[in-house]
């Protein structure tokens, strides 16, 4: 996989992960073009399209589009399920994940992704193992963080 | 789990994010961000030392701002400081910042690398994981230099935790992709292969990706992975849906791993070991069988995962292209998907069938689905699916269905999306030409194309129809009549006026006998369009008029009046004015004879690659088209038969730029002896210091494919495609190497170098000129190589290409298929002569024999084609056993000529061949025998 983008129906980029070296300018250009292309597609259309010399696999979950760019040899359907598994992981971690979770905890979204995909390839497909890794990290974190503050900023989800 | 219970809640960050979200305008957002940046800057610069938490919070804010799309030019140092924190959460944010905002500031890189080194050595798996993730995310050359040696050790060490192994494997993969030269092969490689046997499926999943990438470049070294992958795959596909616990995904056992294993197997030909091969065939059959079972779940995830494995298995079957039974089953399965209610499956089935269409075993099976595909073209609501249907129709087209397919494409064209019209026009034009038995059909088709989609008919298309009409006198009268009729339409496309003008100017006389198309009527008809046309078309029409003066003396006065009018003679356009003046003068002063000589009918065009095909290749990226064309050709003229005006036969001049009627394309330059010095190592840029990459994976296979043919794709990866066209005469040859940049980014310092060993230099002389060091995205550059065979040779030159792409250095080497047999001239001889010479060459050193197993299906026609492609004559009725093949020819070298006789005896039952070569020189017999044995 060359990159993964998460963006909202309004075209706002929520997460970007690049597995090939590209300049910032190029990343912005690609993002702009792809967001436009994908948003212009109708709901019943197929989840795959050719774009430049890559294959784009995308799927919409509620207000968010998950969009992956894979290479010619790569498998479209399994990529679709990569997206789904990532959504499941986010869902399990945040508890019915919504766009706001990813906005406010963007760093977590990146950490979870890194446990699941590395260098553009699937690293660990077991949901249990991925979440175990993240939770272990959270435990470490709580031990160290409690000194500074309690995990108190709950409720923003309702407020915004 | 409630949403944020896990957060290490950085309250300031949350407040900031909601502030940004509340901004009503872009300006307000920028204002808020600038305020925050100022605040962070002052905190970082302040005298008071920041605690880890604050540092983390501010770094995280900077990251957020960056991800919003704003530039960040500070904070890197603070992020690096976080790396050495003992608190996991601080370290983690530090790594995230570095991964996203890596900056090649050398001072920082040193510090970052130091921190990574410490974490790697910490033996704390969580810290090691973070460090490996960071290396994998950044993947820069600097990181490769620092860690490429270390990571393999972590990967194969006995006491490494599973999760660390997984990260290490993919981390190494990323480094290998960016800097393959920095990853040392060694003892660890064999241990990596054995990770395929690991108990932990996560480790196997990660390792398989690594092994696949390594195996693509070093197939020999990773050969043992084949049997391990097969047995792993076999265990997965036969396991019950619950056996693999958390690795079962919606009742499908380990779908990701299965796909990866199947992909790994596509790096290799079918396994040689019959047991392994049998086991693999069983796996593939099981996967195909499962597709027929009722689904275990109604969830789309279940069917997607199951079908992902199925499609990958079909890719492998197509890749092996050796089991007719599996190929046909795959085709039937895809046929079912063509009518599936899921759009995604229909799309993939169309795509996958395109490749099946090019296999000789399944081509016919694919063709049976023609009606479904045509229906898809008519009814699919998604343009990307329709596009696949067009591609498939193009791929499955042959002589038997060309008329139907072309008709369907034409009718689709009337309503096709604008975005794909030009491509369809090109495809129709190519198919119509390629499969035309009746050229009146061809002319009708092209005129229809212009009528339906005139705006999308590029110059190449109408140039080509004119080339063909001029070269085939049986269709000229028909063409003249048809364009004349078409021009009668009140509104016709300018492209039709061009074709009509050109054809009537050449062949209008053929229909002038009919009073309905008398010379004057022809002229008036064309001239009625004149004023509506653009300047280039008007210029063309003026030429038509002067040709009319020659063809039809009776309209001379009328035409002279037109040329004399102010609107022509004083036309503001200099080209038109000049033509009018010169043509008028010519018609006045020249005698009938001179006029007839000057305006003689155009001579036939030299046969060359269709300019349309070149255009389609350019549009689609050469790979797809060439592959398809090659495979179509390989299926043989006997199946599709008939005249084949495609490049295969012609010793063609490549004309990638289709100038007007191809007149500008240079004739094949005489291939002279090398002009200059003895420098046989043809170094294009002598200042290229870098080491030469090892041969690209598959290089040997590709090399073998070129032994019996001269044109095609030699190498291809994500970035670069290398195509070849070559021709040989006696001991001389000329090869054109085409380098295509498949990306949209420029290649810099593009440096191809030809490398010959000392031995080879003495026997084969190569001359070439440097190419432009910059290759634009999507562009193709051509390099010509003049070749002289001095004496017989065994090795092949290596073509090394080095360039920079988007900041990374690329280094590719492939074997260049210049082989001894290219200097073959066929010799025909009668049976008696053959055996007489055969006996004369009975010295034991003169004969080399090889008995080998057939690697391809034993097809007589294909074998014949290969022997002819090899360069020798194929002698019929020479061998008493009609099943045997006998050939003769002479190898030309500068110093000598070497007569060669060959005999190939197939044994169908044993699926074996015996090949015997007799030549006057031992080394030649040896080499020819090696080269030819590989082909069957």
């Amino acid at each position: 996989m060359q990159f993964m983008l998460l963006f909202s129906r309004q075209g706002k980029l929520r997460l970007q992960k690049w597995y090939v070296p590209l300049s910032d300018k190029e990343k912005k250009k690609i993002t702009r073009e792809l967001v436009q292309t994908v948003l212009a597609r109708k709901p019943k259309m197929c989840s795959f399209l050719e774009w430049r010399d890559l294959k784009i696999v995308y799927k919409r979950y509620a207000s968010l589009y998950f969009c992956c760019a894979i290479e010619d040899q790569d498998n479209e359907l399994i990529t679709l399920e990569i997206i789904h598994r990532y959504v499941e992981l986010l869902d399990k971690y945040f508890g019915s994940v919504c766009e706001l979770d990813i906005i406010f905890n963007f760093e977590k979204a990146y950490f979870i992704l890194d446990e699941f995909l590395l260098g553009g390839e699937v690293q660990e497909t077991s949901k249990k193992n991925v979440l175990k890794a993240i939770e272990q990290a959270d435990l470490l974190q709580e031990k160290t963080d409690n000194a500074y503050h309690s995990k108190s900023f709950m409720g923003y989800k309702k407020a915004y | 789990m409630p949403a944020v219970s896990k957060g290490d809640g950085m309250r300031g960050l949350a407040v900031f994010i909601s502030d940004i979200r509340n901004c009503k305008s872009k300006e307000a957002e920028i204002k808020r961000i600038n305020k925050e940046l100022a605040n962070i800057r002052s905190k970082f610069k302040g005298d008071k030392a920041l605690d880890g938490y604050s540092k983390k919070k501010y770094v995280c804010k900077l990251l957020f701002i960056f991800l919003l799309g704003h530039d960040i030019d500070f904070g890197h140092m603070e992020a690096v400081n976080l790396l050495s924190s003992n608190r996991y959460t601080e370290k983690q944010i530090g790594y995230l910042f570095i991964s996203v905002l890596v900056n090649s500031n050398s001072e920082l890189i040193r510090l970052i690398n130091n921190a990574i080194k410490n974490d790697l050595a910490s033996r704390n798996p969580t810290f090691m994981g973070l460090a490996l993730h960071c290396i994998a995310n950044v993947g820069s050359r600097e990181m490769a230099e620092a860690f490429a040696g270390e990571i393999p050790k972590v990967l194969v060490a006995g006491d490494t935790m599973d999760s660390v192994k997984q990260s290490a494997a993919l981390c190494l993969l990323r480094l290998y992709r960016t800097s393959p030269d920095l990853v040392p092969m060694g003892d660890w490689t064999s241990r990596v292969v054995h990770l395929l046997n690991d108990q932990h499926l996560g480790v196997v999943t990660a390792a398989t990706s690594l092994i696949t990438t390594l195996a693509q470049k070093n197939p020999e070294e990773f050969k043992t992975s084949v049997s391990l992958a097969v047995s792993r795959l076999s265990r997965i596909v036969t396991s019950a849906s619950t056996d693999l616990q958390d690795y079962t995904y919606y009742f499908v056992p380990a779908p990701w791993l299965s796909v990866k294993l199947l992909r790994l197997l596509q790096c290799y030909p079918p396994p040689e070991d019959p047991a392994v091969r049998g086991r693999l065939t069983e796996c593939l059959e099981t996967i195909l069988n499962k597709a027929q079972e009722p689904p275990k779940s109604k969830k789309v995830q279940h069917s997607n995962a199951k079908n992902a494995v199925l499609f990958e298995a079909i890719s492998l079957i197509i890749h092996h292209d050796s089991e007719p039974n599996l190929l046909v089953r795959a085709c039937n399965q895809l046929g079912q998907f063509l009518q599936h209610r899921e759009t995604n499956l229909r799309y993939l089935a169309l795509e996958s069938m395109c490749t099946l269409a090019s296999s000789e075993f399944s081509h016919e099976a694919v063709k049976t689905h023609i009606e479904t595909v045509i229906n898809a073209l008519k009814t699919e609501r998604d343009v990307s699916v329709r596009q696949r249907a067009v591609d498939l129709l193009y791929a499955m087209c042959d002589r038997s269905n060309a008329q139907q397919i072309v008709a369907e494409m034409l009718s689709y064209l009337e309503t096709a999306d604008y975005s794909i019209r030009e491509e369809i026009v090109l495809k129709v034009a190519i198919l119509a030409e390629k499969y035309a038995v009746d050229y009146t059909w061809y002319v009708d088709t092209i005129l229809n194309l212009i009528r339906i989609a005139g705006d999308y008919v590029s110059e190449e298309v109408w140039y080509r129809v004119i080339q063909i009409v001029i070269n085939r006198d049986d269709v000229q009268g028909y063409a003249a009549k048809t364009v004349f009729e078409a021009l009668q339409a009140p509104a016709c496309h300018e492209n039709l006026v061009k074709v009509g003008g050109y054809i009537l100017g050449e062949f209008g006389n053929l229909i002038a006998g009919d009073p309905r198309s008398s010379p004057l009527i022809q002229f008036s008809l064309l001239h009625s369009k004149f004023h509506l046309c653009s300047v280039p078309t008007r210029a063309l029409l003026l030429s038509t008029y002067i040709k009319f003066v020659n063809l039809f003396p009776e309209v001379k006065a009328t035409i002279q009046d037109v040329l004399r009018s102010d609107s022509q003679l004083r036309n503001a356009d200099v080209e038109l004015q000049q033509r009018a003046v010169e043509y008028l003068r010519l018609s006045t002063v020249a005698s009938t004879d001179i006029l007839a000589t000057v305006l003689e009918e155009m001579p036939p065009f030299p046969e060359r690659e269709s300019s349309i095909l070149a255009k389609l290749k350019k549009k689609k990226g050469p790979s797809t088209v060439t592959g398809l064309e090659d495979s179509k050709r390989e299926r043989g003229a006997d199946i599709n038969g008939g005249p084949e005006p495609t490049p295969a036969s012609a010793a063609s001049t490549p004309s990638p730029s289709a100038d007007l009627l191809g007149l500008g394309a240079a004739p094949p330059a005489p291939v002279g002896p090398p002009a200059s010095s003895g420098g046989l190592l043809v170094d294009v840029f002598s200042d290229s210091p870098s080491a030469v990459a090892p041969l690209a994976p598959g290089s040997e296979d590709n090399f073998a494919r070129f032994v019996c043919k001269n044109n095609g794709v030699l190498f291809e990866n994500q970035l670069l495609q290398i195509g070849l066209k070559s021709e040989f005469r006696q001991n001389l040859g000329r090869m054109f190497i085409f380098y295509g940049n498949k990306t949209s980014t420029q290649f810099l310092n593009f440096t191809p170098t030809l490398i010959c060993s000392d031995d080879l230099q003495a026997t084969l002389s190569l001359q070439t000129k440097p190419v432009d060091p910059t290759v634009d995205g999507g562009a193709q550059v051509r390099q010509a190589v003049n070749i002289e065979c001095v004496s017989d040779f065994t090795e092949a030159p290596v073509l090394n290409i080095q360039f920079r792409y988007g900041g990374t250095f690329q280094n590719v080497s492939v074997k260049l298929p210049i082989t001894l047999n290219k200097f073959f001239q066929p010799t025909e001889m009668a049976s008696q002569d053959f055996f007489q010479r055969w006996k004369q060459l009975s010295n034991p050193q003169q004969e080399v024999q090889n008995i080998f197993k057939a690697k391809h299906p034993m097809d007589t026609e294909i074998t014949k084609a290969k022997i002819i492609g090899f360069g020798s004559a194929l002698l019929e009725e020479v061998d008493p056993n009609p099943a045997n093949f006998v050939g003769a020819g002479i190898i030309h070298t500068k110093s000598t000529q070497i007569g060669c006789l060959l005999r190939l005896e197939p044994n169908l039952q044993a699926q074996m061949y015996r090949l015997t070569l007799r030549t006057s020189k031992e080394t030649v017999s040896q080499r020819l025998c090696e080269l030819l044995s590989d082909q069957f």
Side-chain angles (χ1 to χ4, degrees):
Chain A
M1 188 185 297
Q2 298 216 340
F3 55 85
M4 183 193 252
L5 303 174
L6 263 67
F7 50 86
S8 69
R9 228 165 16 156
Q10 290 76 35
K12 289 232 183 227
L13 190 59
R14 296 303 183 204
L15 182 140
Q16 45 177 319
K17 190 79 192 178
W18 305 86
Y19 298 110
V20 284
L22 291 168
S23 67
D24 285 345
K25 202 174 139 205
E26 196 143 4
K27 288 179 187 169
K28 281 187 183 162
K29 186 166 170 248
I30 290 176
T31 309
R32 206 167 41 234
E33 256 182 59
L34 260 186
V35 168
Q36 234 171 32
T37 311
V38 170
L39 287 180
R41 290 176 63 85
K42 299 192 184 78
K44 286 276 171 183
M45 283 185 168
C46 118
S47 311
F48 319 125
L49 55 128
E50 276 184 342
W51 183 80
R52 298 196 186 170
D53 50 354
L54 297 173
K55 299 196 282 199
I56 302 298
V57 177
Y58 72 94
K59 189 162 180 182
R60 183 177 155 183
Y61 287 85
S63 59
L64 268 190
Y65 284 86
F66 290 69
C67 174
C68 298
I70 56 174
E71 288 161 37
D72 191 42
Q73 294 287 305
D74 292 336
N75 188 311
E76 290 98 335
L77 284 174
I78 208 73
T79 308
L80 211 47
E81 293 319 296
I82 287 179
I83 293 176
H84 187 76
R85 171 94 328 162
Y86 182 47
V87 172
E88 284 184 348
L89 288 167
L90 291 171
D91 203 57
K92 188 97 186 169
Y93 181 79
F94 288 110
S96 12
V97 66
C98 70
E99 194 183 339
L100 283 170
D101 291 318
I102 294 171
I103 297 172
F104 281 91
N105 300 287
F106 68 97
E107 79 282 9
K108 292 284 178 215
Y110 280 97
F111 297 148
I112 295 173
L113 188 58
D114 271 354
E115 291 294 336
F116 176 43
L117 292 180
L118 194 59
E121 302 284 339
V122 174
Q123 172 172 227
E124 177 56 86
T125 67
S126 153
K127 210 155 52 170
K128 258 190 229 153
N129 289 353
V130 172
L131 290 173
K132 208 164 66 192
I134 295 288
E135 271 159 28
Q136 265 175 357
D138 275 338
L139 281 177
L140 275 174
Q141 189 162 283
E142 278 166 24
K143 267 186 236 151
T144 53
D145 277 359
N146 284 339
Y148 298 108
H149 62 101
S150 59
K151 27 176 185 139
S152 59
F153 73 39
M154 302 204 24
Y156 68 76
K157 221 168 170 180
K158 285 172 210 116
Y160 297 92
Chain B
M1 260 175 272
V4 269
S5 68
K6 311 262 179 130
D8 46 322
M10 288 175 276
R11 187 165 175 76
L13 176 66
V15 169
F16 174 59
I17 295 177
S18 41
D19 278 1
I20 295 286
R21 286 177 53 75
N22 286 335
C23 287
K24 294 277 183 291
S25 66
K26 195 81 193 156
E27 289 72 33
E29 184 183 308
I30 291 175
K31 210 172 146 201
R32 178 69 184 88
I33 284 170
N34 286 336
K35 186 180 152 203
E36 193 62 37
L37 286 175
N39 171 40
I40 299 173
R41 218 182 289 257
S42 74
K43 293 279 197 254
F44 283 169
K45 278 198 186 143
D47 308 328
K48 222 173 66 186
L50 286 177
D51 60 40
Y53 167 73
S54 313
K55 218 182 272 173
K56 178 183 80 171
K57 183 178 72 186
Y58 293 129
V59 165
C60 213
K61 279 184 182 173
L62 286 178
L63 189 57
F64 181 78
I65 294 170
F66 177 79
L67 290 170
L68 276 181
H70 302 271
D71 291 333
I72 293 294
D73 54 5
F74 69 103
H76 298 81
M77 189 47 97
E78 284 73 14
V80 174
N81 287 343
L82 287 177
L83 296 185
S84 37
S85 164
N86 281 328
R87 294 178 198 280
Y88 179 79
T89 148
E90 287 163 19
K91 199 187 264 295
Q92 198 183 23
I93 293 291
Y95 271 125
L96 180 60
F97 185 94
I98 300 296
S99 302
V100 175
L101 264 134
V102 72
N103 183 318
S104 54
N105 178 328
S106 59
E107 183 60 18
L108 278 180
I109 288 286
R110 205 175 45 79
L111 291 172
I112 295 168
N113 282 356
N114 240 338
I116 292 178
K117 207 163 276 168
N118 289 337
D119 281 335
L120 278 184
S122 71
R123 309 188 68 79
N124 172 338
T126 334
F127 287 2
M128 287 173 90
L130 279 183
L132 289 168
H133 289 181
C134 180
I135 303 173
N137 281 327
V138 176
S140 66
R141 208 166 160 80
E142 289 83 0
M143 293 238 170
E145 275 162 4
F147 301 110
E150 182 63 23
I151 295 170
K153 291 180 205 150
V154 175
L155 177 57
V156 298
D159 57 349
T160 305
M161 295 257 301
D162 288 331
S163 65
V164 176
K165 270 189 199 163
Q166 286 167 274
S167 300
L170 294 177
C171 186
L172 191 56
L173 167 59
R174 175 72 199 266
L175 295 184
Y176 188 77
R177 277 192 185 141
T178 33
S179 325
D181 52 315
L182 293 180
V183 177
M185 294 292 136
D187 294 346
W188 60 274
T189 53
S190 61
R191 302 181 54 188
V192 163
V193 172
H194 281 276
L195 290 179
L196 288 173
N197 265 338
D198 202 283
Q199 291 206 317
H200 190 287
L201 279 188
V203 172
V204 187
T205 306
T208 308
S209 292
L210 173 65
I211 294 166
T212 304
T213 306
L214 293 172
Q216 278 163 354
K217 296 242 169 90
N218 319 277
E220 264 313 302
E221 204 151 341
F222 289 87
K223 225 173 164 177
T224 47
S225 62
V226 172
S227 60
L228 292 176
V230 169
S231 58
R232 188 94 225 189
L233 182 68
S234 162
R235 271 179 280 157
I236 295 172
V237 297
T238 53
S239 65
S241 53
T242 51
D243 286 357
L244 303 179
Q245 294 162 350
D246 214 27
Y247 289 92
T248 296
Y249 179 82
Y250 291 87
F251 304 101
V252 183
W256 283 279
L257 179 53
S258 307
V259 167
K260 285 184 181 191
L261 290 167
L262 288 162
R263 177 83 191 276
L264 168 60
L265 291 170
Q266 287 172 61
C267 302
Y268 291 94
E272 277 160 27
D273 179 345
V276 177
R277 192 171 174 152
R279 199 156 179 206
L280 177 57
T281 306
E282 260 172 40
C283 285
L284 295 170
E285 277 169 351
T286 312
I287 294 170
L288 285 166
N289 292 341
K290 279 189 179 172
Q292 298 300 327
E293 289 169 8
K296 294 199 173 69
S297 153
K298 284 211 172 85
K299 288 250 163 73
V300 68
Q301 283 76 25
H302 170 70
S303 76
N304 278 351
K306 187 166 139 183
N307 291 327
V309 177
L310 176 63
F311 273 102
E312 205 60 49
I314 291 177
S315 295
L316 180 62
I317 292 169
I318 297 171
H319 168 80
H320 284 169
D321 197 12
S322 62
E323 302 267 358
N325 172 36
L326 288 177
L327 281 159
V328 171
R329 280 193 69 186
C331 184
N332 294 339
Q333 182 58 54
L334 295 178
Q336 287 181 17
F337 284 153
L338 285 181
Q339 315 207 40
H340 203 279
R341 59 189 166 77
E342 280 268 335
T343 314
N344 287 345
L345 285 180
R346 295 198 303 274
Y347 176 97
L348 293 176
L350 289 165
E351 184 183 64
S352 204
M353 261 203 187
C354 260
T355 38
L356 265 182
S358 54
S359 161
E360 56 177 309
F361 301 115
S362 48
H363 181 76
E364 290 302 314
V366 171
K367 273 167 62 185
T368 59
H369 298 288
I370 185 167
E371 297 302 333
T372 319
V373 182
I374 288 171
N375 197 39
L377 195 60
K378 289 177 177 160
T379 56
E380 284 291 349
R381 279 185 297 174
D382 183 346
V383 53
S384 40
V385 185
R386 290 196 297 270
Q387 168 86 59
R388 290 283 83 81
V390 172
D391 288 349
L392 178 52
L393 284 178
Y394 181 74
M396 66 162 68
C397 191
D398 63 21
R399 192 163 300 280
S400 72
N401 56 21
Q403 300 236 358
Q404 185 188 8
I405 286 178
V406 165
E408 291 296 345
M409 282 190 172
L410 273 175
S411 81
Y412 173 58
L413 196 51
E414 309 219 21
T415 55
D417 314 76
Y418 297 111
S419 56
I420 59 173
R421 281 195 184 186
E422 187 182 358
E423 199 184 311
I424 298 178
V425 167
L426 292 174
K427 286 185 163 157
V428 169
I430 290 167
L431 293 177
E433 176 184 333
K434 190 168 167 134
Y435 297 114
V437 185
D438 174 1
Y439 276 83
T440 60
W441 172 70
Y442 170 74
V443 170
D444 288 343
T445 304
I446 301 294
L447 292 183
N448 263 330
L449 265 187
I450 296 176
R451 184 179 57 74
I452 296 167
D455 285 344
Y456 298 89
V457 172
S458 55
E459 308 235 290
E460 289 83 355
V461 174
W462 75 264
Y463 292 169
R464 188 69 187 162
V465 66
I466 286 171
Q467 287 180 10
I468 286 177
V469 169
I470 285 179
N471 287 7
R472 304 194 64 94
D473 43 19
D474 54 335
V475 77
Q476 288 159 356
Y478 180 80
K481 182 165 161 284
T482 319
V483 292
F484 176 78
E485 280 162 8
L487 281 169
Q488 314 232 320
C492 53
H493 196 273
E494 189 164 334
N495 276 333
L496 180 66
V497 179
K498 290 179 187 164
V499 175
Y502 201 106
I503 287 184
L504 290 181
E506 291 291 320
F507 308 113
N509 56 329
L510 299 177
I511 56 167
D514 186 328
R516 286 166 300 177
S517 51
S518 71
L520 192 60
I521 295 177
Q522 284 186 40
F523 171 72
S524 312
L525 180 61
L526 282 176
H527 199 53
S528 69
K529 316 281 181 195
F530 187 90
H531 306 281
L532 302 168
C533 291
S534 64
V535 169
T537 307
R538 289 190 197 186
L540 186 152
L541 285 177
L542 288 179
S543 299
T544 302
Y545 297 170
I546 189 68
K547 289 183 201 166
F548 275 0
V549 169
N550 173 45
L551 289 179
F552 314 123
E554 62 265 44
V555 294
K556 180 172 171 179
T558 319
I559 288 175
Q560 281 177 330
D561 283 345
V562 168
L563 292 175
R564 206 175 284 124
S565 72
D566 277 358
S567 61
Q568 308 296 351
L569 273 192
R570 290 166 192 263
N571 194 296
D573 184 89
V574 65
E575 175 69 31
L576 292 183
Q577 190 187 87
Q578 188 175 359
R579 286 198 190 205
V581 171
E582 287 177 2
Y583 290 161
L584 181 61
R585 191 75 189 138
L586 182 67
S587 71
T588 326
V589 299
S591 70
T592 333
D593 286 352
I594 291 178
L595 212 53
T597 315
V598 173
L599 300 170
E600 203 180 355
E601 207 176 283
M602 289 295 283
F605 289 90
E607 210 38 82
R608 59 162 65 97
E609 175 171 10
S610 154
S611 47
I612 315 176
L613 201 55
K615 167 117 181 169
L616 183 66
K617 282 180 193 167
K618 213 169 153 188
K619 215 176 145 54
K620 288 288 279 182
S623 55
T624 35
V625 185
T626 325
L628 197 55
E629 294 314 312
D630 281 353
S631 61
K632 279 191 171 179
R633 234 173 281 133
E634 275 159 19
R635 267 202 316 279
D638 290 330
I639 302 168
N640 300 324
E644 188 105 352
T646 42
S649 54
S652 57
T653 317
S655 64
S657 64
D659 42 80
L660 178 65
L661 303 182
L663 288 172
V671 182
S676 66
S677 68
L680 289 158
L681 180 126
V682 191
D683 203 344
V684 182
F685 289 105
S686 47
D687 59 344
S688 73
S690 316
V692 171
L695 284 182
S699 171
E700 289 291 343
D701 286 351
N702 272 344
F703 178 81
R705 283 200 295 116
F706 277 89
V707 167
C708 293
K709 67 174 192 177
N710 288 332
N711 305 329
V713 176
L714 176 64
F715 169 82
E716 179 151 24
N717 64 11
Q718 292 301 323
L719 308 176
L720 175 71
Q721 187 198 47
I722 304 175
L724 292 183
K725 263 180 183 293
S726 43
E727 47 183 328
F728 295 87
R729 206 164 43 238
Q730 308 213 321
N731 70 320
L732 301 176
R734 163 173 283 211
M735 176 176 271
F736 290 99
I737 310 177
F738 296 86
Y739 304 100
N741 179 345
K742 292 168 65 182
T743 70
S744 47
T745 313
Q746 262 188 351
F747 292 165
L748 299 172
N749 303 344
F750 186 82
T751 318
T753 313
L754 294 170
I755 299 161
C756 299
S757 69
D758 292 346
D759 283 352
L760 189 55
Q761 281 187 34
T763 50
L764 184 71
S765 144
L766 302 176
Q767 291 291 319
T768 188
K769 291 204 183 75
V771 298
D772 195 328
T774 310
V775 184
D776 286 332
Q780 193 183 55
V781 297
R782 189 180 85 169
Q783 184 178 31
V785 183
N786 287 332
I787 306 159
E788 186 185 27
C789 173
V790 180
S791 65
D792 68 281
F793 60 97
T794 308
E795 292 168 71
V798 170
L799 173 64
N800 173 254
I801 299 117
Q802 307 189 349
F803 58 96
R804 290 197 79 80
Y805 163 72
T808 60
F809 173 76
Q810 305 285 332
N811 191 350
V812 172
S813 290
V814 286
K815 256 169 112 174
L816 201 59
I818 300 174
T819 46
L820 184 57
N821 65 297
K822 299 293 176 196
F823 305 96
F824 236 135
Q825 295 289 120
T827 321
E828 294 291 343
M829 59 179 79
S831 177
Q832 207 182 349
D833 295 339
F834 182 87
F835 283 107
Q836 193 183 348
R837 287 177 206 212
W838 185 262
K839 280 183 202 132
Q840 282 165 4
L841 294 169
S842 57
N843 222 320
Q845 301 93 344
Q846 291 170 332
E847 182 185 284
V848 172
Q849 197 169 69
N850 187 14
I851 298 172
F852 54 93
K853 229 176 154 40
K855 288 195 285 284
H856 302 283
M858 298 176 80
D859 180 298
T860 310
E861 289 311 312
I862 294 174
T863 307
K864 281 184 181 170
K866 282 184 175 163
I867 291 175
I868 292 168
F870 192 62
S872 75
L874 180 73
L875 304 178
E876 306 273 6
E877 292 170 17
V878 166
D879 200 288
N881 178 352
N884 292 346
F885 305 91
V886 167
I890 295 168
I891 296 280
H892 289 256
T893 73
K894 193 179 177 189
S895 47
T896 50
Q897 300 190 351
I898 303 141
C900 310
L901 303 175
L902 68 89
R903 185 187 202 187
L904 179 71
E905 299 156 273
N907 179 342
L908 277 172
Q909 266 169 342
Q911 290 284 303
M912 303 279 283
Y913 287 102
R914 180 165 71 183
L915 174 65
T916 315
L917 256 295
R918 285 191 180 188
T919 79
S920 47
K921 200 166 173 191
E922 190 184 356
T923 48
V924 172
S925 302
Q926 190 64 47
R927 181 60 179 152
L928 291 178
C929 187
E930 276 166 27
L931 286 169
L932 194 56
S933 300
D934 248 12
Q935 298 298 315
F936 299 106

